[in-house]
Amino acid sequence: MEKKYTYCRICEGSCGFTAEVESNRILKYYADKDHPVSKGYSCIKGRSMLNVQYDPKRIKYPMKKIDSKYERISWEQAINEIGEKLLKIKNTFGPKSIGMYFGNPVAFSYSAAIYTQAFMRFLGSRNIYSAGSQDCNNKFAHSKRFYGSNLIIIVPDFANIDYFLALGTNPGASHFSFVVFPRPAQRLKEMEKRGCKIVWINPRKIPIAKKIGDHHFICPNTDIYLLFGMINYVLENDLEDKEFIRKYSKGIDELRKIAKEFGGDLNQIAKITCISKENIIKIVNDFLEASKKGGASVYGRAGTDRGSFATLLAWAIDVFNFITGNIDKKGNFYSSGLIDVFSISNVGGLETSEVTGKVADKGANLSRIGKFRSLMGTYPAALMADEILTPGDDQIKAMLIVAGDPLVSCPNTKKLEKAFKKLELLVSIDFYMNDTGSLADYILPAVTFLEREDLTLTTTSFNPIPFASYSDPVVQPDSEQKPEWEIFNLLGKKMGLPTIGGPPITIFKSILSRADRKKIKNLMKSERGIFLNEEKKIQYNVLLPDKLQTSDKLIDLVPKDYIDEFEKFRKWKGPYDNEFPYYLISGRDIETINSWLHLKEGTNYCYIHPEDARSLEVEDYQIIRVKSRINSIDIPIKIIDDLMKGVIWIPHGWGRTVENPPEGIAKEKRGYNINLITDDNWKNLETFAGMVLLDGIKVRLEKIN
């Protein structure tokens, strides 16, 4: 029996694992106690990966829908037929009539990320969509305007800060995000024990907040008001880090005016957010006191990234960190990670919205529907249905779906189902037949991360412990599964398009500098990975000013792009709707990961506050109707006192949209799909990243007799 070291790619945690392999089969798979970062920790999702690896429902060979039934075909037939159909659609309707959607797992596969984007560029189509507009793209949109690059993300210095303010996050289920943070409970307890004050802001009192730190309820979708109030309090009371601001930024006078306008009345802010004026002032003063010592950090995640002003809120969070002197000298660090990301940023479309790879001019390459700019090479996924259903030039006629299930993950899924049924070609590349796959004309079997080599390309820059991981394939595919890079090379060759060849690691190294190639070589020779510096600690004074990608090497505290957004905010009447009086928030359980992995028995529920249950005269497990302006779902309830009154919580990623998927082939799915009632209207999407409103949806609850 051979022992192999690898790492998990379900989330940013990248926890180390040990696999014991015999005859190309993993017999044991467990957390690696000697891994330098995770140190023997793993969550239930990672420990259950063998259930996915050897699931009888895994797709093992190409399948074609014939007379509403799926039949096994050869790879040769699949590539020939799909390539010919794509070529016909391209020649008839133009290259932009072919679209692609990829899910969250692509972010954890450097090869899939490179080859999916490359195929679409060679094809000549800009119409790429991803899970990012349901998750995190607002952060990239903000960073472009603030730091000059989508790729600059600051991360809390958990080892040294003396105050941590966490908004809209649930590390017990998600290990934070945009942070590599395995062992979350243990590390947060260690922080608190050494004197770090931890404060949670959330409409739901998450389990970890019951054991660690203080918690304040906040009315959903009002965090932007809280941040404006905090920023203004600092500036109005002359508490900012003046020298830091003078040295590295411009626009402080404009910021004072905006902060005063939107955050000057703390009594009104308290009324809107449901956090008292006294508590807001205490939070700011405690934050400032900690800033004089080891530093402080305000951090926002999914709950702040899926609201009505998500990019503006990401800006406000970084503004508060900046004016208190908590970026790049203490509080929050920046790391470029494993390689010099700026030197290769155009390869994967990360700083571009042009098919050719050139940085887009203003107004160039906007989406056909809604006129959105491409971000990180993708458009908002909420546009897909209208791009398919709306006649005209560049109307989408074919979709390639890679490692995703938009019929569960994207908004207004019944409308999207209708759109997918109108396509001339739908192809799913996955290791399961999911909801979207059950409508596909072809399903192509993909490998799992245990069957491919990989490295932590996208997550190393988020790691407070500067460590990078590499893994060879633990086993080879046991049937006809192929990696995405090989599939797109085959399709490109069939269609007469350029391809970038392989293997991926060779191609990847060829675009790197000599220093980065040497680093990758050392990483590949290592047993578990390598530290990125001799001190094995994060480094400060890295970002400011030299790594800023702005032309004058200064941060513009009030980017001009936000002027219109401030006007939109002035006219906003807030997250209120008397006809739909409840707030719906979504989220994740520790046993689930979005749409593709569900280890929890039973179903998801609509969680509700005891007083709201009494007013509706409903009890545990009773079915109620949750109705939005889009649709309604009937779902059982559970009564908990961990929510604000007037707020309900329904975990996402559960349930189906397709009512009768093929029996015996489709992956079983339990529960209720929250995206049956979410809104995909492009006019209601967030301005800069097209973020969907998933936290703070206004709904009505009805008792079903």
Side-chain angles (χ1 to χ4, degrees), residues 155-264:
V155 180
D157 178 7
F158 291 101
N160 296 298
I161 53 176
D162 288 304
Y163 193 96
F164 180 52
L165 180 62
L167 287 74
T169 184
N170 183 11
S174 303
H175 308 96
F176 291 119
S177 188
F178 281 80
V179 179
V180 178
F181 203 76
R183 303 178 287 120
Q186 177 188 338
R187 292 167 77 178
L188 288 165
K189 285 178 182 176
E190 290 169 354
M191 289 168 60
E192 192 171 51
K193 187 175 180 180
R194 66 169 172 78
C196 179
K197 179 77 170 175
I198 298 172
V199 178
W200 310 94
I201 306 289
N202 203 310
R204 172 185 168 226
K205 192 169 187 178
I206 56 175
I208 209 164
K210 298 176 185 178
K211 301 174 182 178
I212 301 168
D214 296 333
H215 173 268
H216 298 282
F217 285 116
I218 187 170
C219 181
N221 205 13
T222 66
D223 306 70
I224 185 66
Y225 290 101
L226 174 65
L227 264 295
F228 271 127
M230 292 167 57
I231 292 168
N232 183 71
Y233 184 86
V234 170
L235 297 176
E236 191 172 58
N237 290 283
D238 207 28
L239 300 171
E240 72 274 19
D241 188 330
K242 296 179 183 60
E243 176 59 22
F244 189 72
I245 293 169
R246 183 200 63 77
K247 189 174 182 180
Y248 296 120
S249 72
K250 60 185 180 182
I252 185 62
D253 292 335
E254 291 88 345
L255 179 63
R256 290 183 193 280
K257 293 175 186 176
I258 290 295
K260 179 69 174 176
E261 178 183 356
F262 296 128

Side-chain angles (χ1 to χ4, degrees), residues 157 159-164 191-192 194-197 241 284-297 324-327 329-332 540:
D157 178 7
N160 296 298
I161 53 176
D162 288 304
Y163 193 96
F164 180 52
M191 289 168 60
E192 192 171 51
R194 66 169 172 78
C196 179
K197 179 77 170 175
D241 188 330
V284 176
N285 284 333
D286 288 351
F287 192 99
L288 291 168
E289 191 62 31
S291 300
K292 299 172 185 175
K293 298 181 286 186
S297 173
T324 57
N326 280 291
I327 292 181
K329 72 172 186 177
K330 60 186 174 185
N332 297 274
Y540 277 119

